[in-house]
Amino acid sequence: MSSSLTLLPLPAVEQRTGYKKSKLYALIDEGRFPKPVRLGYKAVRFVEAEIDAWIAARIAERDEALAAGNPALLNTRQIAEATGRSESFFAKDRKAQSPRIPVIWRGAVARYDQQAVLVALEKQR
């Protein structure tokens, strides 16, 4: 991590986190992401050290879950790639009256346990 107070523009933060502007600001509103520093009427920047600390915390959470024996949870794109299904398949199942695929909600984000999904897909055959 950098100890200097370098300020990053939004595109650099998007590139580092993989999130787009709308998701970043939703996380900020929920208190789950560092707030930007306002430099002017329409100019904001993010403190690099805070972004690096946030990323490090996500990695630590993942490592703690793995060490505790908890399964790694996958997002919709990851589970679609792992199972060879489309993302829309999982989105439609989540919205169905009686979903067949087990979903774990983390706030407003759907996560999937890969083993549980594979079992559910086997039952559908």
Side-chain angles (χ1 to χ4, degrees), residues 85 89-90 93 99-102 113-125:
R85 304 280 181 137
F89 170 83
F90 291 96
D93 186 75
R100 297 173 297 196
I101 308 295
D113 175 347
Q114 186 173 357
Q115 291 301 323
V117 169
L118 292 174
V119 169
L121 290 174
E122 267 307 308
K123 289 180 183 178
Q124 290 181 18
R125 288 184 182 193

Side-chain angles (χ1 to χ4, degrees), residues 7-55:
L7 298 177
L8 300 173
L10 180 62
V13 175
E14 289 177 333
Q15 197 258 340
R16 283 185 181 210
T17 63
Y19 288 137
K20 294 295 183 189
K21 179 180 179 179
S22 59
K23 177 65 175 178
L24 290 171
Y25 278 96
L27 290 171
I28 290 166
D29 289 344
E30 295 169 7
R32 298 172 45 209
F33 194 80
K35 291 184 178 184
V37 176
R38 183 163 298 283
L39 300 178
Y41 176 67
K42 284 189 161 185
V44 298
R45 297 292 184 269
F46 293 83
V47 179
E48 182 179 34
E50 292 176 356
I51 302 306
D52 289 342
W54 182 86
I55 293 169

